[in-house]
Amino acid sequence: MNIADKITFLNQATLESLDEVEKLKIVARFTETGLKILDGDFGFAFSKQSKNKTYRLIYKSPNMSYHPRLPRKNGFTYRVEKSRQPYLGVVKKEKIAKYDLTPYMKSIVIVPIFYKRHQYGNIVLCFKAKRIFSEQD
């Protein structure tokens, strides 16, 4: 898919979201659009609960058999929250089995969701194969 096609899909998702009132439907639309643009396998999204600063799963792709664990301190999501920048990279094998994501995915993209200058949560795009991301991605 070339850059023009990617921009077209993103613009379409944006336009379709303008009249949407349910935030969860907007998150689902952008998760699935991101998967289409980057040729991902499945995705999910977490929202951050402002009162107790915990996360909850708010969306997962219909074709997803893996059930994501809530973000943990020092995990990928925590790094995105601290830097306020997307993360695109490989998933490394964890020493503790319950935190090891490599049986489900080899690469990951995490994009922070901002709403009125507040970080609402993260969209996570997953790739079953190892992927090297380009500057365009």
Side-chain angles (χ1 to χ4, degrees), residues 51-65:
K51 291 180 183 177
N52 55 10
K53 296 186 179 186
T54 60
Y55 287 90
R56 73 180 176 98
L57 182 67
I58 58 171
Y59 176 76
K60 72 179 203 170
S61 292
N63 65 337
M64 189 172 157
S65 58

Side-chain angles (χ1 to χ4, degrees), residues 1-131:
M1 182 180 304
N2 66 39
I3 188 71
D5 291 337
K6 291 177 180 184
I7 292 170
T8 299
F9 284 123
L10 190 55
N11 284 340
Q12 182 69 31
T14 302
L15 290 172
E16 290 172 358
S17 296
L18 291 176
D19 292 329
E20 185 60 65
V21 292
E22 290 185 46
K23 291 177 192 171
L24 296 182
K25 286 185 180 179
I26 295 170
V27 169
R29 180 172 287 121
F30 276 99
T31 302
E32 296 304 319
T33 299
L35 290 170
K36 186 173 187 175
I37 289 171
L38 295 176
D39 197 25
D41 295 299
F42 57 87
F44 51 92
F46 290 109
S47 81
K48 187 172 182 182
Q49 308 303 297
S50 58
K51 291 180 183 177
N52 55 10
K53 296 186 179 186
T54 60
Y55 287 90
R56 73 180 176 98
L57 182 67
I58 58 171
Y59 176 76
K60 72 179 203 170
S61 292
N63 65 337
M64 189 172 157
S65 58
Y66 161 70
H67 186 75
R69 299 177 68 85
L70 293 177
R72 63 188 172 90
K73 192 169 183 168
N74 299 326
F76 291 114
T77 302
Y78 182 78
R79 287 182 227 152
V80 169
E81 182 180 331
K82 285 290 204 189
S83 70
R84 300 174 67 92
Q85 298 295 314
Y87 172 83
L88 296 85
V90 297
V91 175
K92 296 180 181 159
K93 186 166 179 63
E94 295 277 348
K95 292 178 184 175
I96 301 171
K98 71 178 181 178
Y99 298 129
D100 186 23
L101 301 176
T102 57
Y104 311 103
M105 63 194 84
K106 303 299 182 210
S107 295
I108 195 167
V109 171
I110 303 174
V111 181
I113 305 167
F114 290 97
Y115 180 70
K116 296 184 179 179
R117 295 186 179 174
H118 170 72
Q119 188 169 354
Y120 179 73
N122 296 296
I123 292 175
V124 182
L125 309 175
C126 305
F127 304 81
K128 292 178 183 176
K130 186 176 179 182
R131 176 157 174 187

